[in-house]
Amino acid sequence: MPVSLCGTWDMVSNVNFEEFMIALGIGLYTRKIALKLKLRKVIEQVGDRYVVKTISTFRNYTFSFRVNEEFQEFTKGLDDRHCKSLVDWEGNKLMCIQKGEKKNRGWRHWIEDDKLHLELHCEDQICKQVFKRVI
Ligand code: YOG
């Protein structure tokens, strides 16, 4: 059983976020706002269902899933696209494939050095975010 991702986590670094947003087709004005945000992740697990909340002063995004069960995801307030999303463990990494209009889209979460790591990818861009535990 991999180490738990559950908890409240605050962003400490965000590398290549702008290029990732460009790959998603996010407009300039929204990108400028988004780049200044310090995101918070709240990850909860109830039974085999996970809830991942991404929280900011600008917008929030909540995604809920069961591991290894395909879901319809609507990325409301992000790029507003519909995807067929599948989350599964890949060793110690929780990984999501988001099938839809954008090629090679998805993310990976894992714990390393007591930090929560997130790699978001879309087309040829990878954004790397690191979060530290709150409390
Ligand atoms: O997380 O899907 O943890 O769902 C990436 C934003 C900015 C909106 C954050 C508000 C992608 C404008 C969510 C951001 C850029 C920019 C706070 C990543 C799109 C639009 C909500 C994500 C996964 C993994 C869980």
Side-chain angles (χ1 to χ4, degrees):
M1 180 64 180
V3 52
S4 174
L5 305 173
C6 293
T8 300
W9 305 87
D10 279 353
M11 176 181 271
V12 291
S13 63
N14 191 5
V15 174
N16 207 40
F17 190 40
E18 173 134 56
E19 293 303 318
F20 171 75
M21 288 192 285
I22 291 172
L24 278 179
I26 307 298
L28 177 68
Y29 183 72
T30 304
R31 290 203 311 269
K32 292 303 160 200
I33 296 170
L35 271 179
K36 292 192 201 304
L37 300 173
K38 289 278 176 255
L39 303 180
R40 171 171 282 189
K41 287 281 174 196
V42 179
I43 303 180
E44 291 159 353
Q45 191 182 358
V46 182
D48 57 354
R49 175 165 288 276
Y50 280 87
V51 181
V52 178
K53 294 176 190 158
T54 307
I55 295 167
S56 77
T57 52
F58 178 49
R59 284 176 198 162
N60 300 325
Y61 181 68
T62 300
F63 178 48
S64 170
F65 56 87
R66 280 199 182 86
V67 171
N68 206 7
E69 189 178 297
E70 198 167 63
F71 282 87
Q72 273 297 135
E73 180 176 11
F74 178 56
T75 58
K76 185 176 164 62
L78 303 180
D79 59 322
D80 293 311
R81 285 193 177 87
H82 293 274
C83 307
K84 274 190 179 173
S85 300
L86 180 67
V87 183
D88 207 352
W89 288 102
E90 180 190 67
N92 282 338
K93 297 186 179 182
L94 191 67
M95 62 102 85
C96 179
I97 297 168
Q98 296 167 305
K99 275 191 283 178
E101 186 188 333
K102 289 290 172 183
K103 298 297 163 219
N104 189 37
R105 180 174 187 174
W107 51 258
R108 272 185 189 81
H109 263 302
W110 70 97
I111 305 277
E112 195 179 308
D113 301 328
D114 296 326
K115 303 269 197 320
L116 177 73
H117 290 248
L118 171 62
E119 237 174 46
L120 296 154
H121 54 91
C122 179
E123 296 179 335
D124 58 345
Q125 295 300 325
I126 299 174
C127 169
K128 179 72 199 291
Q129 303 182 342
V130 180
F131 300 78
K132 69 169 167 31
R133 207 182 264 284
V134 180
I135 332 159

mmCIF file of all heavy atoms in Angstrom, residues 63 70-74 82-85:
data_model
loop_
_atom_site.group_PDB
_atom_site.id
_atom_site.type_symbol
_atom_site.label_atom_id
_atom_site.label_comp_id
_atom_site.label_asym_id
_atom_site.label_seq_id
_atom_site.Cartn_x
_atom_site.Cartn_y
_atom_site.Cartn_z
ATOM 1 N N PHE A 63 -12.070 17.399 -7.909
ATOM 2 C CA PHE A 63 -12.143 16.198 -8.748
ATOM 3 C C PHE A 63 -12.246 14.994 -7.817
ATOM 4 O O PHE A 63 -11.494 14.874 -6.863
ATOM 5 C CB PHE A 63 -10.888 16.120 -9.628
ATOM 6 C CG PHE A 63 -10.809 14.913 -10.517
ATOM 7 C CD1 PHE A 63 -11.889 14.528 -11.291
ATOM 8 C CD2 PHE A 63 -9.642 14.165 -10.588
ATOM 9 C CE1 PHE A 63 -11.812 13.411 -12.124
ATOM 10 C CE2 PHE A 63 -9.552 13.055 -11.413
ATOM 11 C CZ PHE A 63 -10.640 12.675 -12.188
ATOM 12 N N GLU A 70 -12.903 4.426 -14.761
ATOM 13 C CA GLU A 70 -12.927 5.582 -15.664
ATOM 14 C C GLU A 70 -14.083 6.527 -15.319
ATOM 15 O O GLU A 70 -15.180 6.070 -15.021
ATOM 16 C CB GLU A 70 -13.045 5.112 -17.111
ATOM 17 C CG GLU A 70 -12.650 6.171 -18.107
ATOM 18 C CD GLU A 70 -12.477 5.604 -19.514
ATOM 19 O OE1 GLU A 70 -13.459 5.098 -20.083
ATOM 20 O OE2 GLU A 70 -11.353 5.689 -20.026
ATOM 21 N N PHE A 71 -13.784 7.825 -15.354
ATOM 22 C CA PHE A 71 -14.777 8.853 -15.038
ATOM 23 C C PHE A 71 -14.865 9.875 -16.145
ATOM 24 O O PHE A 71 -13.891 10.149 -16.831
ATOM 25 C CB PHE A 71 -14.369 9.615 -13.761
ATOM 26 C CG PHE A 71 -14.666 8.869 -12.504
ATOM 27 C CD1 PHE A 71 -13.745 7.976 -12.002
ATOM 28 C CD2 PHE A 71 -15.865 9.052 -11.848
ATOM 29 C CE1 PHE A 71 -14.022 7.270 -10.841
ATOM 30 C CE2 PHE A 71 -16.147 8.364 -10.688
ATOM 31 C CZ PHE A 71 -15.221 7.470 -10.187
ATOM 32 N N GLN A 72 -16.046 10.478 -16.265
ATOM 33 C CA GLN A 72 -16.201 11.679 -17.082
ATOM 34 C C GLN A 72 -15.719 12.844 -16.237
ATOM 35 O O GLN A 72 -16.260 13.078 -15.152
ATOM 36 C CB GLN A 72 -17.687 11.893 -17.409
ATOM 37 C CG GLN A 72 -18.170 11.162 -18.628
ATOM 38 C CD GLN A 72 -17.480 11.625 -19.906
ATOM 39 O OE1 GLN A 72 -17.087 10.802 -20.706
ATOM 40 N NE2 GLN A 72 -17.307 12.923 -20.083
ATOM 41 N N GLU A 73 -14.734 13.563 -16.708
ATOM 42 C CA GLU A 73 -14.257 14.740 -15.986
ATOM 43 C C GLU A 73 -14.566 15.982 -16.809
ATOM 44 O O GLU A 73 -14.327 15.995 -18.016
ATOM 45 C CB GLU A 73 -12.740 14.630 -15.739
ATOM 46 C CG GLU A 73 -12.191 15.840 -14.980
ATOM 47 C CD GLU A 73 -10.712 15.735 -14.629
ATOM 48 O OE1 GLU A 73 -10.023 14.819 -15.139
ATOM 49 O OE2 GLU A 73 -10.245 16.595 -13.852
ATOM 50 N N PHE A 74 -15.102 16.999 -16.170
ATOM 51 C CA PHE A 74 -15.280 18.301 -16.820
ATOM 52 C C PHE A 74 -14.398 19.281 -16.064
ATOM 53 O O PHE A 74 -14.582 19.494 -14.866
ATOM 54 C CB PHE A 74 -16.753 18.737 -16.785
ATOM 55 C CG PHE A 74 -16.960 20.096 -17.392
ATOM 56 C CD1 PHE A 74 -16.556 20.367 -18.701
ATOM 57 C CD2 PHE A 74 -17.550 21.117 -16.663
ATOM 58 C CE1 PHE A 74 -16.738 21.627 -19.267
ATOM 59 C CE2 PHE A 74 -17.738 22.381 -17.226
ATOM 60 C CZ PHE A 74 -17.335 22.638 -18.526
ATOM 61 N N HIS A 82 -14.164 18.370 -21.582
ATOM 62 C CA HIS A 82 -14.609 17.069 -21.108
ATOM 63 C C HIS A 82 -13.512 16.048 -21.408
ATOM 64 O O HIS A 82 -12.983 16.017 -22.518
ATOM 65 C CB HIS A 82 -15.908 16.656 -21.803
ATOM 66 C CG HIS A 82 -17.058 17.542 -21.424
ATOM 67 N ND1 HIS A 82 -17.824 17.303 -20.296
ATOM 68 C CD2 HIS A 82 -17.542 18.668 -21.991
ATOM 69 C CE1 HIS A 82 -18.746 18.253 -20.200
ATOM 70 N NE2 HIS A 82 -18.601 19.092 -21.218
ATOM 71 N N CYS A 83 -13.193 15.222 -20.425
ATOM 72 C CA CYS A 83 -12.192 14.160 -20.603
ATOM 73 C C CYS A 83 -12.772 12.865 -20.042
ATOM 74 O O CYS A 83 -13.642 12.884 -19.167
ATOM 75 C CB CYS A 83 -10.924 14.451 -19.810
ATOM 76 S SG CYS A 83 -10.182 16.048 -20.092
ATOM 77 N N LYS A 84 -12.242 11.762 -20.534
ATOM 78 C CA LYS A 84 -12.448 10.475 -19.875
ATOM 79 C C LYS A 84 -11.199 10.230 -19.061
ATOM 80 O O LYS A 84 -10.110 10.049 -19.611
ATOM 81 C CB LYS A 84 -12.632 9.365 -20.911
ATOM 82 C CG LYS A 84 -14.050 9.228 -21.363
ATOM 83 C CD LYS A 84 -14.234 7.977 -22.196
ATOM 84 C CE LYS A 84 -15.688 7.840 -22.617
ATOM 85 N NZ LYS A 84 -15.872 6.732 -23.557
ATOM 86 N N SER A 85 -11.342 10.234 -17.752
ATOM 87 C CA SER A 85 -10.179 10.204 -16.874
ATOM 88 C C SER A 85 -10.090 8.887 -16.131
ATOM 89 O O SER A 85 -11.100 8.356 -15.676
ATOM 90 C CB SER A 85 -10.251 11.368 -15.888
ATOM 91 O OG SER A 85 -10.276 12.583 -16.612
#
